[in-house]
Amino acid sequence: MENEPGNWDTLDVRPKAKGVDIRQELLKFYEDKYSANLMHLVVYSKESLDKIQCLVEDKFQEIRNSDRSRFQFPGQPCTSEHLQLQILVRAVPIKQGHKLRIVWPITPSILHYKEGPCRYLGHLIGHEGEGSLFYVLKKLGWATGLFAGEGVWTSEFSFFNVVIDLTDAGQDRMQDIVGLLFKYIQLLQQSGVCKWIFDELSAVCETGFHYQDKISPIDYVVNISSNMQIYPPKDWLVGSLLPLDFNPAIIQKILNELSPENVRIFWESKKFEGLTDKVEPWYGTAYSIEKVSSSTIQAWMSSAPNENLHLPAPNVFIPKDLSIKNAQEEVKFPVLLRKSSYSKLWYKPDTVFSTPKAYVKIDFNCPHAGNSPETEVLADLFAQLLVDYLNEYAYYARVAGLLYGISHTDSGFEVTLVGYNHKLKILLETIIDKIVKFEVKPDRFSVIKEMVIKDYQNFKFQQPYQQAMYYCSLILKDQTRSWVERLDVLPHLNVEDLTKFAPMMLSQAFLECYIAGNIEREEAETMVQHVEDVFFKGPNPICRPLFPSQFLTNRVVKLERGMNYCYSKEGLNPSDENSALVHYIQVHQDDFILNVKLQLFALVAKQPAFHELRSVEQLGYITVLMQRNDSGICGVQFIIQSTVKGPAHIDSRVEAFLKMFESKLYEMTNDEFKSNVNALIDMKLEKHKNLREESRFYWREITDGTLKFDRREAEVAALKKLTQQELIEFFNENVKVGATRKKTLSVQVHGNQHLAEYHSQKSEAVKPNTIQIDDIFSFRRSQPLYGSFRGGIGHVKL
């Protein structure tokens, strides 16, 4: 089945060649299918049911009911002819990396959603614990990721996918990897369908459903209205989330379909460049097709290494204690519960969500982690190796709804845990133990290093607007380094370098901790005390506290008033036609009154900017006006990506829009102004939907150093006092074209359609009050910086 995109060729040229009037076809489709009896409406509101009913009747009663029958698209994308012979497709991707997709057409599991056959099989084939397929492939150094589960599906057809991210070594062992996959499927056949595994999975799903986080209302109503198309009314809210009916025959039926006779293998790698004989018409992907018999796959199974594949163990991380702990006091904002020369602990008990979940964040601020490109890369390798070492153990926690992450930061690394609180302390103590006893395993170092190199190499395939945003951050944020520098040093780093670096990095640290949710204050203090004891106490502590001069700061370049700065760059991907612009206007350092003026301008200007620059002028599909906040330094930015015009032209159109918008601002009526103010107040008063969202909000205040936990309430109070004249004066001083206080940075990335503009810019005379940035780091060194909230006096309410 060929998936054709909607474009000029498919929607105009081809239909005309066949004598088809595409507009008439659309109208015919509308007449045949547009009927109220085929539609499902979900309204999610705080209003009473009577009021909602009146609203629905008023807004939707005019939709006609033609009593149409539900339309279906019967048929199979893979006919019996397609499946007579198994195939191996080799394809050349754009990015670095190797991927193996093994696909089977199966009976759609939606027909058996209460039995959950694909959830059961995906759980086992995609497991990452000891004895799993991924565990074995990882141990052999052949894979860095594996997913298993149902992919594209309808009620008529479906596919079960196993997707494996390969290492360079794994790329050379494709046959053994496919053989091991079928060996694991064979193991599942021999083991039979296990009731204890189904019951465990069902229990995890049931707990997950009952304690699911609230999501945004717009996403929720889309999910439920989609469910109404598929499930009977009693399952509209549940969908396929609760596989409760154990039926081994149905699971066995799908398992039998995962056979060598049905398989289709898709193999992606840059190594296939020049070795393919076909080109896909829409994206120009080079590929080739080879027939593979089931006997060949049987031979791959026979020659695959003999590894100890086995089913997972019972999951010790499944929570048993789901009780809600009473907060000893009503705490509206985080409190500084504990402070020492080693750490700070911010604590926020759950008084809102009433779920048995917690959120823990520990930021290891290590001065030795950011001294050079080498130390930054080594800190990144350290964090990724920790995750690698913990994977087969912590995967059980992930399955049970307790997630964790260890990520590299500009100043070290941070550990995050979020999920059910019952077993959280056990996982945290295991992670801390792994950090303290860290050692470099040469085989895993090689795999992770290879993966990180590919990640850096793939940066050049980011979209141009992402590249422009990256350059903007590099210009503005002091002490940040280029990905090019990190890529330059990475190939030369070895096991010995990381072995020496890890204890050096950990020899000095300060821990910024945030603990929130269903955890009592004594338990939170005990957790942090344990971490302190492990790192800083005992006869031979591995870590010392920081000196006052070593505390982390966030410094941002302070652009000069009345100046325009411009940085131009060729796009990193020579074959990308898109150009991009980030037009950034820097305004002020965090201040409630100035914040709301800036936010209100952005709200009022957002829709007109989209309408003018995208809908009317059609400059580009990606056209965004949004606020920007760099560690408390606030501004607005226009982000536009285009194939039709170069970034310099787009930049001039942004300024033309601002001149046009000026009159709209002056002409705004008092009622329109109040309506916009009230809309912004409503946005600010919207409650956090779940613990993770709340914690991210407060953690941002902590990492920025602003510590304004009452930000939303204070900004609402400032908004209520704001006048229209004050907004106009703010615009005239900070945003208006030609304003004496205005500070603008234009970052321009040129695609291959606009290189002539890029080269001509180089020879043009620089306009008045404009600074052309040629070297980011020379520019940054020459500029004044804003003071840092972080590491400074701070603003805190205790």
Side-chain angles (χ1 to χ4, degrees):
M1 181 175 70
E2 189 174 24
N3 183 19
E4 296 187 351
N7 59 25
W8 186 257
D9 188 36
T10 59
L11 296 176
D12 187 76
V13 176
R14 292 191 189 189
K16 281 181 177 175
K18 296 176 183 176
V20 174
D21 185 330
I22 201 75
R23 183 175 183 276
Q24 287 304 315
E25 290 297 315
L26 179 62
L27 292 172
K28 181 183 174 186
F29 182 87
Y30 170 78
E31 292 295 332
D32 288 346
K33 310 300 182 187
Y34 192 83
S35 177
N37 72 298
L38 299 179
M39 300 177 187
H40 294 87
L41 173 67
V42 179
V43 180
Y44 184 29
S45 171
K46 292 188 293 185
E47 306 293 348
S48 68
L49 287 176
D50 288 343
K51 194 165 184 179
I52 294 173
Q53 182 174 343
C54 290
L55 179 71
V56 168
E57 288 174 353
D58 177 55
K59 297 294 182 185
F60 297 98
Q61 63 182 344
E62 297 300 321
I63 297 178
R64 69 185 185 207
N65 183 3
S66 307
D67 199 26
R68 302 294 188 190
S69 57
R70 186 178 174 186
F71 49 99
Q72 294 181 321
F73 302 95
Q76 296 286 328
C78 294
T79 64
S80 56
E81 177 191 353
H82 285 125
L83 295 173
Q84 282 176 358
L85 284 170
Q86 299 70 49
I87 61 166
L88 168 63
V89 177
R90 291 178 170 85
V92 181
I94 292 174
K95 292 186 175 182
Q96 294 290 338
H98 322 288
K99 197 180 290 286
L100 195 58
R101 303 174 192 267
I102 301 95
V103 181
W104 297 265
I106 58 165
T107 303
S109 68
I110 192 66
L111 304 177
H112 307 290
Y113 67 92
K114 286 290 189 186
E115 294 81 9
C118 285
R119 189 181 285 267
Y120 176 92
L121 293 171
H123 168 67
L124 292 176
I125 298 172
H127 209 279
E128 298 181 18
E130 189 175 342
S132 67
L133 173 63
F134 179 69
Y135 175 83
V136 166
L137 295 176
K138 182 184 153 196
K139 189 178 74 170
L140 292 167
W142 295 351
T144 58
L146 186 149
F147 163 82
E150 192 171 21
V152 176
W153 64 268
T154 71
S155 59
E156 300 282 336
F157 66 86
S158 183
F159 294 95
F160 191 92
N161 302 328
V162 176
V163 182
I164 306 172
D165 296 314
L166 306 176
T167 62
D168 289 346
Q171 169 69 10
D172 297 331
R173 305 300 292 263
M174 181 276 291
Q175 295 177 5
D176 286 336
I177 291 169
V178 174
L180 282 167
L181 168 60
F182 277 103
K183 275 190 172 182
Y184 193 84
I185 292 171
Q186 188 178 63
L187 166 70
L188 298 183
Q189 291 278 13
Q190 293 164 351
S191 304
V193 179
C194 299
K195 188 173 189 304
W196 75 266
I197 293 177
F198 181 89
D199 289 344
E200 186 180 88
L201 189 59
S202 180
V204 167
C205 291
E206 191 162 9
T207 303
F209 177 75
H210 288 303
Y211 296 106
Q212 63 184 297
D213 289 339
K214 282 189 176 180
I215 61 175
S216 74
I218 195 166
D219 292 330
Y220 185 72
V221 296
V222 168
N223 291 348
I224 302 305
S225 60
S226 299
N227 284 352
M228 292 167 73
Q229 298 271 6
I230 301 165
Y231 303 100
K234 66 185 177 68
D235 291 325
W236 281 350
L237 299 183
V238 178
S240 301
L241 296 176
L242 293 181
L244 297 175
D245 299 341
F246 179 62
N247 189 324
I250 288 174
I251 296 173
Q252 188 65 49
K253 178 186 177 185
I254 305 296
L255 179 59
N256 292 341
E257 291 174 346
L258 308 185
S259 70
E261 289 73 29
N262 274 350
V263 76
R264 302 163 74 76
I265 302 169
F266 299 86
W267 190 10
E268 302 169 18
S269 175
K270 284 277 194 184
K271 288 191 173 182
F272 299 143
E273 284 181 330
L275 303 175
T276 58
D277 58 358
K278 294 179 173 59
V279 176
E280 185 273 331
W282 301 112
Y283 293 99
T285 303
Y287 72 101
S288 62
I289 299 179
E290 175 185 330
K291 294 176 181 176
V292 181
S293 66
S294 56
S295 60
T296 300
I297 293 172
Q298 294 286 354
W300 293 353
M301 288 176 66
S302 301
S303 62
N306 288 316
E307 296 291 334
N308 185 24
L309 292 165
H310 59 79
L311 296 178
N315 193 336
V316 298
F317 279 102
I318 292 178
K320 300 291 190 290
D321 180 4
L322 296 167
S323 61
I324 305 300
K325 299 173 183 179
N326 292 322
Q328 290 129 321
E329 58 204 272
E330 282 292 317
V331 178
K332 190 174 182 183
F333 302 116
V335 294
L336 185 58
L337 192 58
R338 188 175 184 279
K339 182 179 179 181
S340 71
S341 59
Y342 312 116
S343 71
K344 273 184 191 175
L345 168 57
W346 297 94
Y347 172 65
K348 170 66 174 66
D350 177 17
T351 56
V352 179
F353 308 110
S354 297
T355 58
K357 296 180 181 180
Y359 185 101
V360 173
K361 178 86 79 170
I362 303 177
D363 181 25
F364 288 76
N365 176 13
C366 307
H368 299 300
N371 291 338
S372 66
E374 287 85 355
T375 56
E376 282 194 9
V377 172
L378 287 168
D380 190 7
L381 292 169
F382 170 85
Q384 296 208 38
L385 276 168
L386 276 174
V387 173
D388 186 77
Y389 296 165
L390 284 159
N391 189 64
E392 54 266 18
Y393 170 80
Y395 183 77
Y396 284 94
R398 196 163 96 207
V399 169
L402 176 55
L403 310 181
Y404 87 102
I406 304 171
S407 56
H408 163 241
T409 66
D410 291 341
S411 59
F413 63 100
E414 64 181 25
V415 175
T416 310
L417 295 93
V418 58
Y420 300 113
N421 56 273
H422 183 206
K423 307 288 181 78
L424 185 146
K425 190 177 177 184
I426 298 169
L427 180 58
L428 175 61
E429 290 178 356
T430 304
I431 292 169
I432 296 302
D433 186 62
K434 279 284 185 192
I435 294 171
V436 170
K437 296 177 180 175
F438 180 81
E439 60 181 60
V440 186
K441 300 174 184 176
D443 58 332
R444 299 312 301 162
F445 177 86
S446 298
V447 168
I448 298 300
K449 178 181 172 181
E450 176 192 310
M451 191 167 70
V452 173
I453 287 174
K454 286 174 183 170
D455 285 343
Y456 285 152
Q457 289 173 335
N458 284 332
F459 184 89
K460 63 176 175 283
F461 297 112
Q462 285 190 324
Q463 291 202 57
Y465 83 90
Q466 294 171 310
Q467 296 173 33
M469 292 177 72
Y470 162 76
Y471 292 130
C472 191
S473 294
L474 199 60
I475 290 166
L476 292 172
K477 294 182 181 180
D478 191 41
Q479 299 298 320
T480 50
R481 292 187 175 85
S482 161
W483 69 276
V484 176
E485 293 179 354
R486 296 197 291 272
L487 182 57
D488 282 347
V489 301
L490 182 50
H492 309 293
L493 297 174
N494 55 38
V495 171
E496 291 72 28
D497 293 320
L498 185 54
T499 301
K500 291 175 185 174
F501 168 76
M504 172 63 77
M505 178 179 71
L506 294 172
S507 67
Q508 272 192 294
F510 183 81
L511 314 183
E512 190 94 53
C513 309
Y514 176 83
I515 298 180
N518 195 41
I519 288 185
E520 293 171 342
R521 60 191 301 152
E522 292 80 9
E523 191 180 357
E525 289 185 280
T526 301
M527 282 185 189
V528 174
Q529 184 65 61
H530 170 75
V531 178
E532 273 193 13
D533 290 346
V534 169
F535 281 94
F536 297 97
K537 309 291 174 64
N540 295 301
I542 65 168
C543 198
R544 292 180 291 113
L546 301 190
F547 294 112
S549 63
Q550 292 178 300
F551 280 85
L552 181 67
T553 59
N554 299 327
R555 306 298 300 274
V556 176
V557 166
K558 188 174 187 177
L559 301 177
E560 188 179 341
R561 290 177 177 178
M563 296 301 294
N564 302 309
Y565 301 84
C566 183
Y567 179 72
S568 295
K569 193 80 173 169
E570 286 187 55
L572 296 170
N573 180 4
S575 62
D576 198 327
E577 297 180 349
N578 285 288
S579 293
L581 168 76
V582 171
H583 181 101
Y584 167 66
I585 303 169
Q586 189 180 75
V587 182
H588 67 278
Q589 192 166 28
D590 189 38
D591 173 273
F592 289 147
I593 295 172
L594 289 172
N595 291 351
V596 298
K597 291 176 183 178
L598 180 69
Q599 291 160 11
L600 189 59
F601 160 72
L603 177 69
V604 173
K606 184 175 182 178
Q607 191 279 330
F610 183 88
H611 174 73
E612 178 62 29
L613 300 173
R614 185 183 173 200
S615 303
V616 177
E617 299 190 27
Q618 297 190 3
L619 293 177
Y621 182 76
I622 296 173
T623 303
V624 179
L625 167 59
M626 62 186 292
Q627 298 164 62
R628 182 184 177 101
N629 184 337
D630 297 291
S631 303
I633 310 306
C634 304
V636 289
Q637 57 188 358
F638 292 80
I639 303 167
I640 302 173
Q641 182 166 292
S642 176
T643 54
V644 295
K645 296 291 182 181
H649 174 83
I650 298 170
D651 200 43
S652 70
R653 298 315 302 158
V654 168
E655 300 232 315
F657 163 76
L658 288 172
K659 289 176 182 175
M660 181 192 72
F661 177 76
E662 190 179 333
S663 61
K664 289 184 180 293
L665 195 60
Y666 296 154
E667 293 163 7
M668 186 190 302
T669 67
N670 189 48
D671 285 346
E672 287 172 334
F673 174 77
K674 286 180 178 177
S675 175
N676 283 304
V677 168
N678 289 333
L680 187 53
I681 288 174
D682 288 344
M683 290 161 65
K684 289 187 174 297
L685 292 179
E686 185 180 336
K687 294 176 181 176
H688 295 296
K689 288 177 282 298
N690 53 61
L691 177 65
R692 190 182 308 203
E693 186 180 291
E694 178 192 77
S695 297
R696 284 174 176 164
F697 177 84
Y698 291 133
W699 182 248
R700 174 75 186 265
E701 294 291 334
I702 293 166
T703 55
D704 282 353
T706 44
L707 303 178
K708 294 177 181 175
F709 299 127
D710 62 344
R711 175 176 302 279
R712 299 201 300 183
E713 293 80 359
E715 290 183 348
V716 166
L719 266 172
K720 288 178 178 177
K721 296 176 183 175
L722 186 66
T723 66
Q724 187 170 351
Q725 185 57 37
E726 287 174 324
L727 177 63
I728 291 171
E729 288 170 1
F730 171 84
F731 176 85
N732 288 341
E733 290 178 4
N734 299 286
V735 182
K736 180 179 177 178
V737 176
T740 55
R741 293 168 57 98
K742 186 176 181 182
K743 304 181 286 185
T744 304
L745 169 62
S746 173
V747 179
Q748 305 178 7
V749 172
H750 296 255
N752 64 22
Q753 298 293 298
H754 307 116
L755 291 179
E757 177 190 286
Y758 170 71
H759 293 299
S760 68
Q761 269 185 334
K762 294 292 181 184
S763 58
E764 289 176 3
V766 177
K767 296 175 183 176
N769 299 323
T770 299
I771 293 176
Q772 186 73 40
I773 301 171
D774 295 316
D775 177 79
I776 288 176
F777 302 104
S778 298
F779 169 77
R780 215 167 61 187
R781 283 190 291 268
S782 70
Q783 297 303 300
L785 304 173
Y786 279 100
S788 173
F789 284 114
R790 192 171 191 182
I793 298 170
H795 308 267
V796 58
K797 291 190 175 182
L798 297 179

